[in-house]
């Protein structure tokens, strides 16, 4: 479908007794693309990569074609804020304030995502469902490791019991993305105590997502492995990509919104260059073009 574009793989499943849903994604290609665009350090690849994966999974469960979800961490960590935006097909874009921040490994010998994101602040999830106002949910960051925070968001803001696993494996020498992915399991209202205790037993045995991906498991196999003992059927699947929706028109609209005075000041410069935070595309405006925006 997207010729020449590297794709992720995403699946959404439901248990045949309609007690829970499971989504999983292989976002290796998406996070690799992100790493090339932002030249992220290892820990920033993990922080933004996990956030992109979560956004893609949440986005894929949105119903409307033009619905979007924004997942934003403002935790006052070393890497600044981390933002990912997904559409309803799971196509994502994202950015991180300080993409080259390097941090020592944490006490477990892992990339220290919690210190990059920080734990002094909030996770905000904005769902734009085409209504007058977007739905905004905000929870205090509990771990800064992303997955636990996504679980906390769903528990507090949407009252949905959720299990989330996310992982990005980065080559320590080349900084290349070896694999990336994640899953989200959510209980449906019909789930009784029996289902909950069965799920808890499954959780105890869950391997890290990256371990399953390295074994070559597909998202569907990850769902079936994580939910061993549950009978699952596929609801739908998707091939999301890293995609930005910026355009000259959108940049012009943003410039116009800064107001006439700001535009007159910009017009003093030989040229005005605007760089997209999500894809680094540059938009250049001459003083004449800036002045013409005032008339718009
Ligand atoms: Zn862009």
């Amino acid at each position: 479908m997207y010729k020449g574009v590297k794709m992720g793989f995403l699946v959404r499943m439901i248990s045949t007794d309609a007690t829970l849903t499971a989504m999983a994604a292989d976002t290796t290609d998406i996070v690799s693309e992100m790493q090339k665009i932002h030249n992220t350090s290892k820990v920033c690849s993990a922080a933004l990569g996990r956030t992109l994966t979560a956004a893609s999974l949440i986005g894929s469960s949105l119903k409307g074609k033009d619905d979007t979800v924004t997942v934003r961490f403002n935790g006052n960590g070393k890497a600044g804020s981390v933002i990912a935006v997904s559409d309803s097909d799971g196509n994502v874009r994202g950015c991180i304030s300080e993409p080259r921040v390097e941090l020592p490994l944490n006490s477990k010998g892992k990339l220290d995502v919690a210190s990059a994101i920080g734990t002094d602040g909030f996770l905000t999830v904005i769902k734009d469902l085409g209504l007058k106002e977007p739905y905004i949910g905000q929870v205090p960051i509990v771990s800064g490791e992303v997955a636990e925070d996504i679980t906390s968001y769903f528990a507090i803001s949407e009252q949905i019991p959720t299990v989330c696993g996310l992982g990005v494996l980065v080559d320590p020498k080349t900084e290349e993305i070896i694999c990336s992915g994640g899953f989200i399991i959510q209980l449906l209202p019909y789930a009784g105590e029996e289902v909950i205790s069965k799920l808890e037993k499954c959780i105890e045995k869950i391997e890290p997502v990256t371990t399953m991906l390295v074994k070559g498991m597909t998202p569907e196999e990850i769902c079936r492995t994580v939910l061993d003992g549950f009978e699952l059927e596929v609801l739908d699947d998707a091939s999301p990509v890293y995609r930005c929706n910026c355009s000259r028109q959108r940049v012009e609209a943003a410039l116009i919104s800064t107001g006439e005075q700001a535009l007159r000041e910009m017009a003093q410069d030989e040229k005005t260059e605007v760089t997209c935070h999500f894809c680094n595309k540059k938009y250049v405006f001459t003083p004449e073009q800036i002045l013409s925006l005032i008339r718009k």
Side-chain angles (χ1 to χ4, degrees), residues 93 243-247 275-281 283:
R93 59 187 188 275
R243 185 190 287 164
C244 189
N245 66 347
C246 66
S247 65
T275 306
C276 174
H277 292 307
F278 293 111
C279 69
N280 284 342
K281 192 169 170 186
Y283 295 89

Side-chain angles (χ1 to χ4, degrees), residues 15-222:
S15 64
T16 48
D17 59 0
T19 53
L20 54 80
T21 59
M23 304 180 270
D26 178 338
T27 56
T28 308
D29 283 353
I30 291 173
V31 176
S32 297
E33 181 71 14
M34 176 283 289
Q35 202 276 332
K36 284 193 199 91
I37 290 169
H38 295 302
N39 189 26
T40 42
S41 64
K42 296 186 283 286
V43 71
C44 288
S45 293
L48 182 52
R50 288 182 198 175
T51 308
L52 283 168
T53 304
S56 180
L57 288 168
I58 298 168
S60 72
S61 58
L62 297 172
K63 290 186 180 71
K65 195 173 81 61
D66 297 323
D67 292 355
T68 63
V69 63
T70 302
V71 177
R72 189 175 69 209
F73 283 93
N74 288 108
N76 286 303
K78 296 277 190 292
S81 47
V82 182
I83 302 168
V85 185
S86 174
D87 65 17
S88 60
D89 290 322
N91 299 311
V92 277
R93 59 187 188 275
C95 61
I96 185 164
S97 310
E98 302 292 342
R100 287 306 304 166
V101 159
E102 305 266 8
L103 294 169
L105 297 178
N106 66 20
S107 58
K108 291 176 186 160
K110 300 258 166 54
L111 293 169
D112 193 357
V113 172
S115 295
I117 288 181
T119 52
D120 174 25
F122 292 90
L123 160 61
T124 309
V125 177
I126 303 163
K127 287 183 177 173
D128 191 339
L129 310 176
L131 306 169
K132 221 174 185 181
E133 299 283 336
Y135 167 84
I136 302 173
Q138 194 174 61
V139 292
I141 295 173
V142 287
S143 81
E145 294 281 349
V146 186
E148 289 93 330
D149 296 297
I150 296 295
T151 299
S152 158
Y153 159 77
F154 277 112
I156 295 168
S157 261
E158 300 197 19
Q159 285 85 46
I160 303 172
T162 301
V163 183
C164 179
L166 299 164
V168 177
L169 193 62
V170 187
D171 186 305
K173 288 206 181 75
T174 65
E175 296 192 342
E176 269 176 80
I177 308 301
I178 298 167
C179 64
S180 167
F183 64 83
I184 291 179
I185 298 160
Q186 299 192 304
L187 288 179
L188 291 169
Y190 311 104
E193 283 302 322
E194 202 186 317
V195 173
I196 294 169
S197 62
K198 196 166 147 191
L199 179 60
E200 278 168 353
K201 286 207 182 75
C202 290
I203 296 167
E204 284 168 19
K205 294 188 290 182
I206 294 178
E207 288 182 303
V209 180
T210 48
T211 306
M212 293 190 268
L213 288 168
V214 165
K215 285 180 186 171
M217 285 190 198
T218 63
E220 184 177 336
E221 286 165 342
I222 288 173

